[in-house]
Amino acid sequence: MTELETEPGTGRGTERATRSRGRAGPRSAEGHEAAVLLERARAAVDPELRAAIGSLPGPMRRIAFYHFGWEQADGRPAAAGSGKAMRPALVLAAASALGGPAARARAVRAAAAVELVHNFTLLHDDVMDRDSTRRHRPTAWAVFGDVDAILAGDALQALALRLLAEDPHPAASPAAARLADCVVQLCAGQHADTAMERRGPADVGLDETLAMAEAKTGALLGCACALGGLYAGAGEAEVAALDAFGRQAGLAFQLIDDVIGIWGDPRRTGKPAGADLASRKKSLPVVAALTSGTPAAAELAELYTAPREKEDKEELERLARTVERAGGRDWAQAEAADRMARAMQELARAVPDPEGAGGLLALAEFVTRRET
């Protein structure tokens, strides 16, 4: 996938993204800064995660340790990846931006709680979406079965709230309430997503798909940033702006993720090529293509509703080309740039000092510059 340089209809996306890159330095420097923040976040939260998950009953602990990449299915140690730690990094970066290193250190437990909630959603989503591969190896349900994977996910959510309930920090109680509200939004977003998948291609609108994506993806990134602000003692206005920043960056993230879901390189994504198309998922680029009013949109609708037998690589490539001809890929890239522009506006309200906002900016731009 190319860089998000396509200018959206408002003309703001490329301009604002370019200005933000100018503040933060060259692209390679930004990428390095984000990588350092992610590595530090993983190092900070992993002990909390291991301790919390280690308290689970044996069977659920085994599934969770496998899911996080710490063990093989048979319990032997493993060195598989456990994700980028983007959400914990946002918690810690927001706390640092408004409260300095001391606030960052106090927010580690909240960062771990957010990561537990994120992985609760992954375990459940993999079951519902029937995704058989994550992080380059079989998903938990594919190894242990649906019931065990769902129960392990439930346990992770409970652990997240217990971490905050046991945290003596004065922000822990409002943070727990905000995280619980976020889980409700995540469930509502997933419900909307599954309901859309049961509807015909002509019955799904772009606005409702964007709203669903904000609930499924943007809500947790916004919550992560807001929790960092709470642990830094930020005021209501700053916390709200951080939440809005995370939501807009989350939408940009989801748009790019959906592009990768169609055109991604399996060697990078760890998932089969065209997995979203094979399942006829109504991702954002697909819905944009279906609602474009172009001849390719009509062709795509026919392909999405046609009876399916075993699909081959050529059929998936045809679907991908049709989405692209209908404008789905260009729209997604332009919309991602515009959402990042909105995110930058919210970030400036929360953290007016560009230097202080540098960590959050680097993380947000890192996730929207992923390549297929």
Side-chain angles (χ1 to χ4, degrees):
M1 184 189 66
T2 58
E3 263 189 74
L4 296 183
E5 296 292 346
T6 307
E7 190 170 28
T10 61
R12 294 175 299 180
T14 300
E15 178 187 358
R16 287 298 299 265
T18 301
R19 287 206 301 268
S20 65
R21 282 196 294 273
R23 285 198 306 267
R27 177 180 179 182
S28 58
E30 282 178 355
H32 175 72
E33 181 181 2
V36 169
L37 291 170
L38 292 169
E39 185 178 350
R40 288 177 179 171
R42 178 57 69 198
V45 302
D46 268 4
E48 288 280 356
L49 292 173
R50 285 181 179 269
I53 295 171
S55 71
L56 291 175
M60 280 183 286
R61 181 173 65 244
R62 178 184 173 193
I63 297 164
F65 269 48
Y66 172 84
H67 169 75
F68 274 89
W70 300 331
E71 289 185 357
Q72 305 285 5
D74 60 6
R76 288 179 297 137
S82 54
K84 291 185 175 66
M86 175 56 62
R87 290 151 190 84
L90 287 170
V91 175
L92 300 178
S96 180
L98 291 171
R104 182 189 186 279
R106 292 191 295 267
V108 169
R109 187 171 291 187
V114 169
E115 184 72 344
L116 286 167
V117 165
H118 173 54
N119 281 277
F120 139 70
T121 68
L122 296 183
L123 282 161
H124 283 204
D125 285 357
D126 285 343
V127 174
M128 287 183 275
D129 297 341
R130 310 314 290 170
D131 284 337
S132 59
T133 305
R134 180 175 292 280
R135 299 166 185 156
H136 303 278
R137 64 180 191 157
T139 47
W141 74 263
V143 175
F144 300 100
D146 291 2
V147 172
D148 285 354
I150 290 170
L151 290 172
D154 293 341
L156 294 187
Q157 182 190 174
L159 288 178
L161 295 177
R162 190 178 78 184
L163 278 180
L164 293 176
E166 294 176 346
D167 190 350
H169 194 285
S173 180
R178 185 177 281 269
L179 188 59
D181 285 343
C182 178
V183 170
V184 173
Q185 292 179 59
L186 294 171
C187 292
Q190 181 65 14
H191 180 270
D193 189 19
T194 55
M196 286 178 187
E197 295 306 313
R198 295 192 293 267
R199 288 153 57 185
D203 300 327
V204 176
L206 192 53
D207 287 344
E208 65 175 323
T209 309
L210 283 165
M212 175 273 294
E214 180 179 341
K216 277 193 64 174
T217 304
L220 189 54
L221 269 69
C223 182
C225 297
L227 261 59
L230 286 173
Y231 271 72
E236 184 177 335
E238 289 82 3
V239 171
L242 284 170
D243 187 283
F245 159 74
R247 285 175 180 271
Q248 293 298 331
L251 264 177
F253 173 92
Q254 187 60 57
L255 285 153
I256 299 308
D257 201 57
D258 284 354
V259 169
I260 290 172
I262 297 174
W263 295 281
D265 182 346
R267 293 171 297 182
R268 293 177 178 269
T269 66
K271 294 186 177 184
D276 285 356
L277 294 176
S279 64
R280 297 300 189 267
K281 185 173 180 62
K282 297 182 184 72
S283 61
L284 285 161
V286 168
V287 175
L290 287 167
T291 57
S292 65
T294 63
E299 180 184 346
L300 181 62
E302 288 184 13
L303 291 171
Y304 252 55
T305 55
R308 282 182 286 163
E309 296 180 1
K310 186 177 180 180
E311 273 177 327
D312 56 20
K313 181 180 178 181
E314 289 185 3
E315 181 64 18
L316 292 178
E317 288 176 349
R318 180 188 176 192
L319 281 164
R321 288 194 302 270
T322 307
V323 174
E324 191 159 9
R325 284 193 291 111
R329 187 173 188 172
D330 286 345
W331 174 86
Q333 292 177 336
E335 185 71 12
D338 192 48
R339 294 292 175 169
M340 272 298 293
R342 300 185 198 186
M344 295 307 103
Q345 293 171 347
E346 298 293 348
L347 181 58
R349 279 192 276 271
V351 190
D353 176 21
E355 290 298 322
L360 287 166
L361 174 62
L363 290 169
E365 294 203 337
F366 177 80
V367 298
T368 56
R369 286 181 172 183
R370 294 172 299 157
E371 298 180 352
T372 57

